[in-house]
Amino acid sequence: MSVIAHADRIQAPPGAAVRRRKSFLRRRSTVAFFMALPLILIVALLVLYPASYAVYLSTLNKTMERFVGFGNFLFLFKRDSFWMVVEQSVIFAVTAVLFKAVIGLVVAHFVHNLPAKGQRKWRGMLLVPWVIPPAMSTLAWLWLFDPSYSAFNWIFAHFGIDPVPWLGNPYWARFAVILVNVWVGAPFFMIMYLAALKSVPDQLYEAAEIDGANWFQKLWYVTLPMMRNIISITVLFSLIVTFANFDIVRVLTNGGPLDQTQVFATWAFRLGIESNDIPLGASVSLFMFPVLAFAAIFILRDINRRGNEA
Amino acid sequence: MTSAKFDRRRFLATTAGLGLAPYVHTSRAAGTLNIGFWDHWVPGANAVLTKLCHEWAKKEKVDIQIDYITSQGNKLMLTIASEAQAKAGHDILSMPTWWVTAQERHLESMDDIMSRLIEENGDVVDVVKYLGRQDGRWLAVPATPGSQTKPPCGRIDIFRKAAGLDITKMYPGHGEPDKALTDHWTWDEFANAAQRCQKAGFPFGLGLGQTTDSTDWVGAMFSAFGADIVDAQGNITVRSDAVKQVLEYAKRLASFLPPDVTAWDDASNNKWLISGKGSLIMNPPSAWAVAKRDAPKIARELWTFSGPKGPKGRFVAGLPFYWGVWNFSRNKPAAKSLITFLSQRPQVEKLVEGSGGYDIPGFSGLRDFKVWAEEGPPKGTIYNYPPRGDTIVSIAAAPAPTAIANQIYTQATMPKMVARYAFAGDSLDRTLAWAEDELEGMMRT
């Protein structure tokens, strides 16, 4: 501490400290912090505490009596079944997010170009798959894909088409879980992209038109750059959520056939809860955390930089 | 000469005696008892249990709080896991199959109750000991509600016409099974019957998915062939001749099953039988009970009987439920008193009747109730649901140490072995190598 600062403190009249405290409490950032405090406490209690506890659990041995450090992760790295789950989770998440993004973009364009009068109804209807709890809608899908009584196969039979082993064949089963995930998640992309589309100034399209741009050039040079931040955030958010997906796989295939649709969350549940190996289950569920955190830091930094440039 | 000295031995004898003494109360001295029971799927079964508990509570002047916890969505499992972690929760908790030994460190010893109950009700079958006892110490008491076996349930008419076998004669609805017929009821004969029924357009509905129904029947088949994949000492024995033999057999049997059985869950086999498409499943009588309500014509043709015999005996899957008391429970004496009360013959009979015969008591002396002979139509359809004759009740993955067997069971290692060899095109060697690798991963401590 400098001599001058020290002197200030000594010489400051008693009212100055009160004034400083008042001005601190009146600052916008202080008010904002206090207003956000309940939420911060809830997040700390419901997210940070369980996450830290999961990290702690992942460092214990099977009977949870001994600290093993990274032992559980090293054990997992040697298991073929774990790498199979990693591969399937990546296929599941990347494919599903890609399709959700493309379908969301296309549908958002359609809705955006609808006359304003009926647009709200379409928006409402298109959001239905996203609004229904996935465990419930997946049950309906299960009846459509049921191994023995599939409604799709029943329709196929009327056209003389052989039944499709939707959930009995590993490739069809993967297709089914991805399809349901896309069906549930695409409306979220649609609504986010629709909001982004509505914020693109019409003048930009008019200028592009004067320059003789066709529809693809307008999309490529105007729409997509203007939506870049929203696309990044939506893809990042969806990737995290899809990597952590549990309900769709659990209800539809339970990881089968032959574990060919297991993803991190279902495999973690099987090892941790059903097989009574909570530390190993915690390790499986935490495996993607550093990867996704790393991706999140880069994507958010990129968004921030573009925001500053703007 | 007698000694008045109160030495260490005398202290131990006295305190042990106190532990075994009947639960004595003063007015509301025992306080509250929190109980988490399994939520029975049979309508009315919970009400019988509740009534019995209140009867006991009134007599003993204890306040009781009962929660019925469903096993749907694994809620019961999650409750057990979270209470063990939090070291707080119910005093008594229902625990299915593997959960007792898995929670060994958190459970109060039940040796005192079990010795008394075995004396009163007869011994318990091996599978109940295997899952409820660790290092000679009883960790929980076998509970009547929820305990089940999974013998075959077949169509009388289809078996007569297509397989030429009268299952009601082989395992009649009263008395002893027909020895001449049951001696021929082997796994080979089972495959022949499966082939004939498939030819007639009514294949057997035996799942090869990753849920318990699939694991249970495959486990019974492996046991019948003596095909342990891990022995009692924890050694991997997957390359034994018995395992190779059972896989060869299973491949033949699988060729007579519906092509989509690798995707079946625990509801698929029930639907298969109730819809009239199938001729046999292996399940508790829930499929028959639902058929009685939804498809009475089919229900009238259903008959539960014992499983086929293999080189090592006639095995049927058994899944006992238990009542455990946490060692952090605040009311252990009252908890033990209630469990003892509920495990006595008059109460057990009421519970079995309340479940329509679905519940199978763990004690051998409690399997002579009238309900199994009287339920119908057809009358006597579930008479052979409690194991009779030479039937041995087992669970898949036994006799492996329970910490390993639990993983083999829940990860459906055995059905996956069959599915790989019979459906996925893996060679026998590749299937065994895969299983060996999986089992090595289950050996961690």
Side-chain angles (χ1 to χ4, degrees), chain A residues 157-170:
Chain A
H158 281 79
F159 295 99
I161 302 168
D162 286 339
V164 177
W166 298 108
L167 305 178
N169 174 290

Side-chain angles (χ1 to χ4, degrees), chain B residues 84-140:
Chain B
Q85 286 290 299
K87 293 191 174 48
H90 298 93
D91 296 294
I92 300 174
L93 197 55
S94 293
M95 296 190 180
T97 51
W98 304 101
W99 283 83
V100 174
T101 50
Q103 303 301 332
E104 182 192 359
R105 287 175 300 128
H106 305 295
L107 288 170
E108 182 72 7
S109 170
M110 290 289 173
D111 284 345
D112 45 356
I113 295 188
M114 279 306 287
S115 55
R116 184 178 154 187
L117 289 174
I118 288 172
E119 211 170 278
E120 283 176 15
N121 298 333
D123 203 0
V124 292
V125 291
D126 285 347
V127 70
V128 173
K129 286 179 193 159
Y130 172 70
L131 294 167
R133 214 169 56 167
Q134 198 79 319
D135 302 324
R137 185 171 76 101
W138 279 103
L139 303 169

Side-chain angles (χ1 to χ4, degrees), chain B residues 38-90:
Chain B
W38 172 64
D39 187 11
H40 212 300
W41 72 269
V42 174
N46 289 348
V48 176
L49 184 55
T50 305
K51 198 177 162 203
L52 289 172
C53 288
H54 283 297
E55 201 178 291
W56 170 86
K58 198 176 167 192
K59 205 173 90 192
E60 301 294 344
K61 296 189 168 55
V62 176
D63 287 330
I64 55 167
Q65 169 70 45
I66 304 173
D67 296 320
Y68 284 100
I69 307 163
T70 178
S71 45
Q72 291 286 331
N74 293 302
K75 197 177 170 199
L76 183 58
M77 280 185 191
L78 291 166
T79 306
I80 299 168
S82 56
E83 290 193 6
Q85 286 290 299
K87 293 191 174 48
H90 298 93

Side-chain angles (χ1 to χ4, degrees), chain A residues 53 62-65 72 75 79 146-149 167 250 256 258-259 269-271 273-277, chain B residues 74 85 99 102 105 210-211 260 262-263 271-272 275 277 403 406-407 410-411 416 437-438 441 444:
Chain A
Y53 192 58
K62 189 180 174 186
T63 51
M64 299 166 71
E65 291 165 314
N72 290 325
F75 170 82
R79 310 301 319 155
D146 189 282
S148 308
Y149 312 97
L167 305 178
R250 180 79 189 176
L258 293 169
D259 289 327
F269 188 80
R270 174 144 300 172
L271 295 181
I273 302 294
E274 291 180 332
S275 302
N276 279 300
D277 194 343
Chain B
N74 293 302
Q85 286 290 299
W99 283 83
R105 287 175 300 128
Q210 305 190 43
T211 50
D260 51 14
T262 53
K271 286 190 276 184
W272 186 252
S275 68
K277 288 172 97 171
N406 181 353
Q407 297 174 76
T410 51
Q411 292 177 37
K416 280 192 242 173
D437 184 60
E438 287 288 297
R444 69 189 285 273

Side-chain angles (χ1 to χ4, degrees), chain A residues 233-308:
Chain A
I233 288 175
T234 319
V235 166
L236 173 69
F237 179 76
S238 180
L239 207 58
I240 292 168
V241 172
T242 312
F243 260 116
N245 187 273
F246 175 80
D247 37 17
I248 292 174
V249 174
R250 180 79 189 176
V251 174
L252 209 57
T253 64
N254 197 24
L258 293 169
D259 289 327
Q260 301 280 315
T261 57
Q262 291 284 7
V263 289
F264 286 119
T266 53
W267 189 240
F269 188 80
R270 174 144 300 172
L271 295 181
I273 302 294
E274 291 180 332
S275 302
N276 279 300
D277 194 343
I278 290 176
L280 199 64
S283 306
V284 171
S285 66
L286 286 171
F287 178 74
M288 279 310 287
F289 176 70
V291 182
L292 291 173
F294 200 65
I297 288 167
F298 273 91
I299 292 173
L300 292 174
R301 204 173 66 170
D302 194 37
I303 291 166
N304 204 25
R305 194 180 293 155
R306 278 201 302 274
N308 291 339

Side-chain angles (χ1 to χ4, degrees), chain B residues 205-233:
Chain B
L206 301 169
L208 286 170
Q210 305 190 43
T211 50
T212 59
D213 281 358
S214 298
T215 302
D216 289 325
W217 84 262
V218 173
M221 180 177 70
F222 270 57
S223 298
F225 279 81
D228 301 335
I229 58 174
V230 173
D231 66 17
Q233 285 71 44

